[in-house]
Structure formats: structure tokens, C-alpha cells
Amino acid sequence: MKNLLVEFRDVTKRFDSRVILDQINFKIYEGHITTIIGKSGTGKSVLLKHIIGLLSPDEGTILFRDKPISEMKKKEWDTYRSQISYMFQNNALFDSMTVFDNVALPLRQTTNLGKKEIERKVKDRIEQTELTEVTFKYPSELSGGMQKRVALARALVTDPKIVLFDEPTTGQDPIRKNVILSMIAQYKKKFGFTAIIISHEIPDIFFISDRILLLWEGKIGFQGTYEEVVKFDHPMVDEILHSLEGFQDKLTGLLSKQMFRSRYATTLSHGLADTSITAILFSVELDLITENIGPRAALEVVKLLGEYINKHLDALGGFSTRQSRDHILTILPHATRREAQQLLDKFAKELQEHALFNIQAATQARIKVPQSFEIYVYAGVTEAKSIEALECIIQKAKSNQKIIALISAQAGGEKK
């Protein structure tokens, strides 16, 4: 179990006569990505502002590492506050400053770093958020999406221990939304911070979340993992899950996890214990690709993989979902394992010959230093009984995975 980091105990907040937070209780664990979901106007941003100290509760207690923040002395408070970074929903950029100066501002105001070290850190974050071309432009010269990325770069430039993200992907296209979410997950893994995110990007946000908090009418309706929330029997959760049924994964065009599970249960509801189905689990190594050639290129691989699965497998009666950041699961209820393998062989050939060529073109210009890189796509086929849990089917398919496609290229070189 992770260490308890932040805890709300019976916290209430009112604005005039309106109760925004109503005796809420929840816990944030160190190293987790915790996502807060709920309808607009339910107090999600108000909750974040309590963590950072921009608002104080009317009743109740907020604790950091078991100590009430209201009882902290100035030095303790300053230490606590210095560990937190906040990405505002409206970005809060300074129009009179360039992108470089906006990103550098926290380092200049809160650290004693020298000019060269600040420049290095700022350049690194600007490059990682793909803002190099607008480094010396002003916010008013940028699109809303670029402004959002500037705010993200600024939030991460101090290497904080806790990062609060208020709708970090608002106004972004599907690829860019997933790029930002992948960057958050990648940075969290690399730097070890704790992330608390407000998001409407369902189901995309679930791919990176360790825990989910459902804020409903001022109260916490649920807190736990995605797997737990879909099994939680409560009217508030039912309404949220019902709203997910029409959502597709915007990156890949595949079914949402909730819609997939519903389709799985409906399609196989009349199957007997001895009824066999076939499943294929596709995988790519997103973290490795991101490290070598950037998050956008990594997600282009997932996007193309989803498009080809839709084209080749879903058209034959299969149905698929992006099971995690780098796994896509396809169920073929009417195919034998041999038939599924034949379909997969044909699929892999076209993927190798056509789809991944586009990845090479998209990535070569992004590589600053000449280097070779390889992108692997894996797939595993398995047969299973119709009554088996999806988790068991996934593990069986994963154990059978082999490389089905590979692109090997060099910056500025030819496809091999």
C-alpha cells in the first residue's frame, strides 16, 4: 500500500448559502495518479484549490502526511507549498511574457538556480511539450491548445512532488489529449510525483488513473480503481457509467472499456460453459517509444493500430477496446483459434507494409540526434470459454504474444 499523502476529513465549503463541498472524506496516496470526475459545477476545482491552499474549508480538516495544514507554522507551510504545482484550467499565463518567460517564472521566483540552469530546465520542458517553435512568442499569438501546453510545461518545470491538474486536456484534439495524458503518466513515472487530475476526458483518463474519485452533489460518491467503480452498486455511479456507454476511445475509434464489457456480456450471455471464443491481445511499448521519439509518435502507433483493427477485425464480427495505455483487446466470438491466427497473419502483413511507414515519416523530423530506433507491435491469440473473466483471457493472450510487426529506421535514413 502506498503512503497516505493528503486526506480530507469532513470538509465543508460554502459560498454564501450554497454548499459546494458537503462533509467530504477522501484520501490521496503518494505516487498515485488520482482522477476526480463529476458533472460540471460539482466543486471539483474548489476541491483542488483547498489542497493548494487557495481556499480554506469552513468546516473539517485537510491533512498532509497526517498533519493538519491549518496547524502548520510558516516554515512548514512554505515547505509544503513549495512541493505543489498547479496547472490552472484557464492556464493563467501572463500575456506580457513570452512562452519561455512564462515557463521560467516559477524557477525565477521560487528557486536560487543560476541563469544557465534555469535556461536548461525551461528548454527541456518546452521541447518535451513540443513548443520549441513558439518559444519566444506571446500567449496571445498561440492557439488555445498551445496555451494549454505552455501551462503544462510551467507546471512541470520545478520538478514538483505533487501536481494538481485542472482539466489539462481541454480544447485538444484526440491525439493531443492522449499525448498530454501520456506525458503526465510518463513524467509521474520518471520523476515520482503524485498527480491529482480533474478531467472530463472519459474514458481516456482511466488509462492512466490509479484511483478515481466521483464527486457528486458535493459529496464523494465513490473512491477506488476503475475496476472497482464499474462493480459499485450505487445510483450515482450508475448514472456516470450509463453516460459512458456511448463513448468511444477518441484516439483509436474503438469501444470504450465500459461499452466493450457491455457488448461482451450481451454477445455471450446465452453461451454455455463449453462455448469457445477467440481473443487477440495487441501491445506496443509506449514508454520505450516515448523515451526515444516522443509521446506523439508513440500515440500515432496506437491510433493506427486501432484504425487497422477496426478495418480488418471489427468488420468480421469482432469487437475491440483499448484495454490499457498500450494494450488493445479484440474478441472474435465466431472464429476458431486457427481462423483468428489466419486473420492476424493477414493483418500483420498489411500493418508491416503500409501503416508503420507513416510512423517513420512522422517521427524522423522529431529526432534531434542521429540514432536508430525500432518499434515493435506484439499480438497473442488465445481460445477461452465464454464464461471466463476478461482478466483471465487477457493474461492467457498475453502469454502467447509474439512480434507481428517491426519498423527499423534511422533519423534522416531510409526505411529498412
Side-chain angles (χ1 to χ4, degrees):
M1 172 65 75
K2 294 281 187 177
N3 295 326
L4 180 60
L5 193 64
V6 176
E7 182 178 6
F8 276 45
R9 292 183 184 172
D10 299 320
V11 170
T12 296
K13 184 63 179 180
R14 304 180 185 90
F15 292 114
D16 297 325
S17 60
R18 184 185 176 196
V19 179
I20 305 299
L21 303 178
D22 187 7
Q23 293 188 319
I24 65 172
N25 293 275
F26 68 86
K27 298 176 180 180
I28 302 292
Y29 291 94
E30 188 171 10
H32 276 181
I33 296 179
T34 299
T35 298
I36 303 168
I37 62 174
K39 293 183 177 180
S40 297
T42 54
K44 300 187 296 297
S45 295
V46 171
L47 188 154
L48 280 195
K49 290 175 182 177
H50 277 76
I51 296 175
I52 202 171
L54 293 175
L55 292 173
S56 298
D58 296 321
E59 300 171 15
T61 305
I62 301 171
L63 302 96
F64 176 71
R65 300 192 187 278
D66 293 324
K67 180 160 188 176
I69 62 174
S70 60
E71 298 178 8
M72 290 181 177
K73 297 179 181 179
K74 185 179 184 306
K75 186 175 181 180
E76 291 177 307
W77 169 255
D78 289 343
T79 299
Y80 165 69
R81 181 61 185 84
S82 68
Q83 298 178 69
I84 303 176
S85 183
Y86 192 112
M87 181 173 165
F88 293 89
Q89 185 174 3
N90 63 358
N91 301 328
L93 301 175
F94 290 92
D95 290 335
S96 60
M97 295 183 179
T98 64
V99 168
F100 184 94
D101 290 332
N102 267 285
V103 176
L105 186 63
L107 295 175
R108 290 170 175 167
Q109 288 191 335
T110 64
T111 74
N112 296 318
L113 296 176
K115 182 179 178 180
K116 289 186 178 181
E117 181 64 11
I118 289 176
E119 288 181 353
R120 184 189 66 79
K121 283 180 170 288
V122 172
K123 286 179 180 178
D124 284 347
R125 290 297 179 266
I126 284 176
E127 181 176 331
Q128 289 164 341
T129 49
E130 298 183 42
L131 292 165
T132 305
E133 294 181 359
V134 298
T135 300
F136 298 107
K137 289 189 175 182
Y138 293 87
S140 61
E141 300 177 274
L142 307 180
S143 66
M146 280 195 170
Q147 290 180 19
K148 184 70 67 175
R149 301 211 301 276
V150 175
L152 175 61
R154 185 179 61 186
L156 298 176
V157 75
T158 58
D159 299 327
K161 299 297 182 184
I162 304 172
V163 186
L164 312 180
F165 298 93
D166 194 348
E167 298 287 0
T169 58
T170 298
Q172 304 291 316
D173 61 76
I175 280 282
R176 184 58 62 186
K177 287 175 182 177
N178 279 267
V179 166
I180 291 175
L181 295 177
S182 290
M183 286 171 56
I184 292 172
Q186 187 77 5
Y187 290 152
K188 193 274 291 188
K189 182 178 180 180
K190 183 175 181 179
F191 300 115
F193 62 75
T194 299
I196 305 171
I197 307 173
I198 288 174
S199 180
H200 287 101
E201 300 303 336
I202 297 169
D204 305 78
I205 189 65
F206 294 146
F207 295 129
I208 68 167
S209 301
D210 297 300
R211 286 174 58 82
I212 299 164
L213 300 182
L214 171 60
L215 189 59
W216 188 280
E217 297 180 355
K219 294 183 178 291
I220 299 295
F222 171 84
Q223 53 183 313
T225 65
Y226 174 78
E227 287 71 21
E228 291 169 338
V229 75
V230 298
K231 298 175 183 177
F232 189 62
D233 184 17
H234 194 287
M236 293 184 294
V237 175
D238 289 343
E239 183 170 339
I240 289 291
L241 294 180
H242 179 72
S243 72
L244 301 184
E245 291 183 359
F247 278 91
Q248 290 183 319
D249 180 343
K250 296 176 184 177
L251 177 69
T252 63
L254 303 177
L255 297 177
S256 70
K257 289 176 72 173
Q258 181 65 16
M259 190 69 173
F260 177 88
R261 286 177 178 272
S262 176
R263 175 85 174 271
Y264 180 77
T266 301
T267 302
L268 305 174
S269 59
H270 302 296
L272 301 175
D274 60 352
T275 300
S276 294
I277 62 170
T278 305
I280 305 175
L281 184 68
F282 298 90
S283 301
V284 291
E285 297 178 342
L286 279 188
D287 286 343
L288 183 61
I289 301 171
T290 298
E291 183 179 340
N292 288 327
I293 51 180
R296 185 178 184 90
L299 290 166
E300 287 285 357
V301 177
V302 178
K303 181 175 184 292
L304 278 171
L305 188 56
E307 291 174 351
Y308 270 68
I309 288 171
N310 263 330
K311 176 182 176 182
H312 291 274
L313 302 181
D314 289 14
L316 299 173
F319 51 97
S320 309
T321 188
R322 189 178 172 207
Q323 185 65 26
S324 64
R325 287 181 62 226
D326 47 9
H327 296 299
I328 293 176
L329 177 65
T330 296
I331 297 293
L332 295 166
H334 307 299
T336 65
R337 179 168 182 166
R338 181 178 179 181
E339 291 169 338
Q341 187 63 56
Q342 290 174 341
L343 290 172
L344 180 60
D345 292 342
K346 183 178 180 181
F347 170 89
K349 183 178 180 181
E350 184 163 345
L351 188 69
Q352 178 73 58
E353 292 179 351
H354 301 290
L356 292 183
F357 180 79
N358 298 327
I359 299 301
Q360 179 183 338
T363 58
Q364 291 215 17
R366 301 180 186 278
I367 302 175
K368 307 303 180 184
V369 180
Q371 61 174 297
S372 297
F373 64 91
E374 294 180 331
I375 298 172
Y376 297 92
V377 179
Y378 302 84
V381 181
T382 188
E383 281 187 327
K385 298 300 182 182
S386 58
I387 59 171
E388 284 189 64
L390 280 172
E391 290 74 14
C392 295
I393 295 173
I394 291 167
Q395 288 304 314
K396 288 169 63 176
K398 190 173 184 179
S399 68
N400 293 331
Q401 282 190 327
K402 298 178 181 177
I403 297 170
I404 64 165
L406 162 67
I407 180 172
S408 179
Q410 185 170 337
E414 298 295 328
K415 181 182 176 184
K416 296 181 181 178

